Amino acid sequence: MARSAGGFTVAIMLAVGLFLSIRASSALSVAGFSFLTEQEWSPETQQFGVAAVLFGTVSIALVALCVSFPLSLGTALLISEVVSPKIRQSLITLVDLMAAVPSVIFGLWGVFFLQSAVIPVSLWISTYFSWIPIFAVTNEGGEALSEASAFTSSAFIAGIVVGLMVVPTQTSVMREAFAQTPVGEREGALALGATRWGMIRSTVLPFGRGGIIGGTMLGLGRALGETIAVYMIISPIFVINWQLLKTGSNSVSALIALRYGEASEFGLSALMAAGLVLFLITLVINFTASSVVARSRSGAQS
């Protein structure tokens, strides 16, 4: 039964990849390798590529990881090592329920509440850390911008929202890894005089290293493919924007959602090609994460 289920899952993934490859073949035959380097998206003029949207996808995902990783790690340690068993189950249920919140709810929350709250933070970061290129917000002439409108609908805001969305996934993987730490190693560390934090640092974190890495990469895969929340927040552009705090970004999934309804037959093939690129990237990340978890001590004992 388990082998049949696993084989069926692999067959579905192969079928999805084959479908995308067939539908994307006409667009890829026209664009060639420039599909990965071209920023503009204009299939009607046969000048299109995913460089800009792929850059936006990665930048949003990296911001999301910077937000989600400390939250996930801290929450997983809190649940597995700090709180009492009675409270632990309630927290586990609460984190699991967070994963069930629809993406559109996160998107609405990000647009109508979080954005206005984050703009002053973005302005402060740009004011004091503009010497770092990704935190500068400038116009075409290189002059610094301070208007609130220059900081809306940015990759930074979208990344924060997506980061909160992937916290439950990362927390669950990390918590399971930490919970499998051998009791003998925990008690041995405490018997030698270690404090609770000392025991966590010397036994739990090393044992759960694979779960930390695997959970982070699984969260990255989820962040790369997020669609609705990103689509609602960003202001789509088709140029690489190195300034994370500045208005304007894009992602592969948001591009597909934006152009699918009005695409021609060739334009639809181009969108399928963009989806194929995203599919391959997330596939590699998820397989790598699964391999890391399986080779870790915690994964080997699960």
Side-chain angles (χ1 to χ4, degrees):
M1 180 65 70
R3 290 184 178 180
S4 299
F8 185 69
T9 302
V10 173
I12 292 177
M13 294 177 61
L14 292 176
V16 171
L18 180 62
F19 168 78
L20 291 174
S21 300
I22 294 174
R23 295 298 302 271
S25 58
S26 60
L28 292 177
S29 63
V30 172
F33 183 77
S34 63
F35 184 73
L36 298 176
T37 59
E38 175 63 43
Q39 299 184 38
E40 186 177 348
W41 186 266
S42 181
E44 294 75 14
T45 60
Q46 296 190 351
Q47 187 174 2
F48 58 96
V50 293
V53 293
L54 197 58
F55 178 85
T57 301
V58 174
S59 62
I60 292 173
L62 291 179
V63 172
L65 284 190
C66 292
V67 173
S68 65
F69 177 76
L71 290 176
S72 302
L73 182 61
T75 304
L77 288 174
L78 175 68
I79 293 175
S80 64
E81 306 298 329
V82 178
V83 300
S84 63
K86 293 182 179 179
I87 302 177
R88 181 176 300 139
Q89 189 57 46
S90 299
L91 291 179
I92 292 174
T93 303
L94 185 62
V95 172
D96 292 341
L97 285 175
M98 183 179 173
V101 177
S103 300
V104 66
I105 301 301
F106 279 98
L108 290 172
W109 174 73
V111 171
F112 293 105
F113 174 77
L114 183 66
Q115 184 166 247
S116 59
V118 170
I119 287 176
V121 179
S122 299
L123 179 60
W124 182 85
I125 295 175
S126 177
T127 301
Y128 294 98
F129 295 94
S130 58
W131 50 275
I132 302 176
I134 62 173
F135 294 142
V137 178
T138 59
N139 57 20
E140 296 180 356
E143 299 176 350
L145 299 176
S146 58
E147 299 84 2
S149 59
F151 297 88
T152 60
S153 305
S154 64
F156 180 64
I157 297 174
I160 293 176
V161 174
V162 174
L164 296 177
M165 293 178 64
V166 303
V167 164
T169 301
Q170 293 178 326
T171 300
S172 297
V173 176
M174 294 180 188
R175 176 179 56 80
E176 289 293 336
F178 296 153
Q180 295 173 14
T181 305
V183 177
E185 295 187 15
R186 297 172 183 266
E187 295 178 348
L190 294 173
L192 291 174
T195 61
R196 173 181 289 178
W197 169 242
M199 180 272 292
I200 293 174
R201 186 177 56 187
S202 61
T203 61
V204 176
L205 291 179
F207 182 84
R209 183 179 293 113
I212 296 174
I213 298 174
T216 302
M217 296 183 70
L218 287 174
L220 175 61
R222 167 74 191 280
L224 289 171
E226 179 51 44
T227 304
I228 298 301
V230 174
Y231 174 73
M232 295 177 65
I233 294 171
I234 62 171
S235 177
I237 60 174
F238 294 97
V239 62
I240 293 179
N241 181 13
W242 295 93
Q243 301 178 354
L244 296 179
L245 305 177
K246 186 178 179 180
T247 299
S249 184
N250 216 329
S251 72
V252 175
S253 55
L255 166 67
I256 296 173
L258 177 66
R259 297 297 180 91
Y260 180 81
E262 60 185 25
S264 62
E265 186 66 26
F266 184 78
L268 187 59
S269 178
L271 292 177
M272 291 293 180
L276 178 62
V277 173
L278 182 61
F279 174 76
L280 293 176
I281 292 175
T282 54
L283 200 64
V284 170
I285 291 175
N286 288 332
F287 271 118
T288 304
S290 299
S291 177
V292 170
V293 173
R295 295 183 179 183
S296 66
R297 288 185 60 199
S298 54
Q301 294 186 11
S302 63

